[in-house]
Amino acid sequence: MASSILSSSAKPCYSATKPPAPIANRLPPPSPALPSAPRFAHGLSAAVRASPSARRLRALARPVRASQQQPRRRPEYVPNRIDDPNYVRIFDTTLRDGEQSPGATMTSAEKLVIARQLARLGVDIIEAGFPASSPDDLDAVRSIAIEVGNAPVGEDGHVPVICGLSRCNRKDIDAAWEAVRHARRPRIHTFIATSEIHMQHKLRKTPEQVVAIAREMVAYARSLGCPDVEFSPEDAGRSNREFLYHILEEVIKAGATTLNIPDTVGYNFPREFGDLIADIKANTPGIENAIISTHCQNDLGLATANTLQGALAGARQLEVTINGIGERAGNASLEEVVMAIKCRKELVDGLYTGINSQHITLTSKMVQEHSGLHVQPHKAIVGANAFAHESGIHQGCSVTPQDGMLKYKGTYEIISPDDIGLTRANEFGIVLGKLSGRHAVRSKLAELGYEISDKEFEDFFKRYKEVAEKKKRVTDEDIEALLSDEIFQPKVIWSLADVQATCGTLGLSTATVKLIGPDGEEKIACSVGTGPVDAAYKAVDQIIQIPTVLREYGMTSVTEGIDAIATTRVVVTGDVSNNSKHALTGHSFNRSFSGSGASMDVVVSSVRAYLSALNRMCSFAGAVKASSVVPESARVQSKE
């Protein structure tokens, strides 16, 4: 069967049992002189590639802190080539793959806010969503294309590419093009499975049929007027090599400008994935007319390592997400990949990105709050403990007070916290309390990297004063918890006016809740429950009357002490999104919605979180309803 596909081009047939060619046969011989070593098409020095010891020696002679390195200018964007062979494009799929995480559903307004921040961060391509998934997804991608895809940011006037995902069928591609065509630089990203297990059990198609579909759909996307088309052979990490070479050759001929090689199930090891990229680069006819990309899932915890290995092997686009969020175990983490390249530039032969790393911390926090997916404290780069040094050895207490961290931070920090936009409260010292005024609080927000409107500041300042009256000292963590509860919230439909709860061992737990509805009317309900939070949630349900199921509930203390602010996170599901389709499986699914709340009272914190999730659900349901009843002609806007 396979040989029939390749017979016309007189290539060797692909076989499931045929091993890949030895890597020594795929790479050119090393140059005898390092300074004048020839370069591969994507800029990797042959001599350094062939001599790990030389690379290690160079590494030892270089600075070890990322903050000591100077940024380089981003080359002009051309879809199928990069003029600087050392430049690596960053393709962010937080708003598409990241949103497939359970509980990470975001409204159109929230996606637009994150897209603006991704543009400030400097990502080259924003995969804004899967437009065929639902009318709301299409509208969200269209809004991002219109607003973010035409607005220059930064000193270099960078405008990101806006990308929409589609399966290899005309309906999906039409939806993707309708969504992204309003951007200055639109891209359609289409995919079809190529591994034997996927073709047989998911697609139920022969290899010949898969090649024909891929070729036809890439050509169709180009025929719509889209100058930038990305193609992904899904599950490439488990696909037959010869088949990959052939299908990639065909889509290049059809007009594909970027070839994304996904390790869809996180199956590959770094050396294995690096060999895959090198093999594709060496054996695919026409590969010089396209950019090789990577997309690595984290099922075995190897996504970042595989992505970096792919870059070393010649990939010049890396697909990542903020905080590594995504389906199952997530994706390669943008901050890990970018900072590894920046921190160890001497080991990646001078590769660099256009990311403004000082926006990493704020972007990470924004995605956490809008997606509801908070990172673990020991998460690399952006975790709460990433720059916390509690060990006595690290602080220098085991020898003298001047050793270790207290003497020179570079002894244990390979990355400066300033490099990712993080400041230390004990070094940059505005300490807030109940006497602090608006100017001091605004200065603290600026120090932490937050820019909010005057109205948002007044809402926040009111909450700040309430907390400051009860606490002697308001910490940075308190400030960020209050910001999360006031600023990073969905559109307010139902708001909390009052809640009163009683509990204990002497009787039933009861709660009385007063809410303000969308029409401004106050509504009150009382209920009993197994505890004060359960009683309060039942009272909220009596008022709002939306069928929901509470899937997750968690509470943490922001700081130490009995007066700490409590933050609560909940995840709920409801029957509001049956029209949404999963990008990879195509199956309809019910979305889940997360919410967060903060207060010094645990019951108040819990009710705020529950209302946040319900408001997000109501906003999403309203957007879906509006998209389904408004005529297409009324929703389509041109960028002019």
Side-chain angles (χ1 to χ4, degrees), residues 308-330:
L308 293 170
Q309 197 65 39
L312 286 171
R316 286 300 176 267
Q317 177 181 287
L318 308 178
E319 303 200 0
V320 292
T321 62
I322 301 297
N323 302 331
I325 67 172
E327 196 169 19
R328 302 188 312 277

Side-chain angles (χ1 to χ4, degrees), residues 219-242:
Y220 178 67
R222 288 300 299 265
S223 73
L224 295 176
C226 185
D228 195 358
V229 176
E230 177 173 338
F231 173 77
S232 290
E234 184 192 353
D235 203 20
R238 295 188 296 175
S239 296
N240 174 270
R241 297 287 174 89
E242 298 293 338

Side-chain angles (χ1 to χ4, degrees), residues 5 108 223 225 282 360 427 430 433 497 522 560 581:
I5 300 179
S108 297
S223 73
I360 284 178
E427 288 187 357
I430 301 175
E522 293 184 351
E560 60 186 16
K581 294 186 181 297

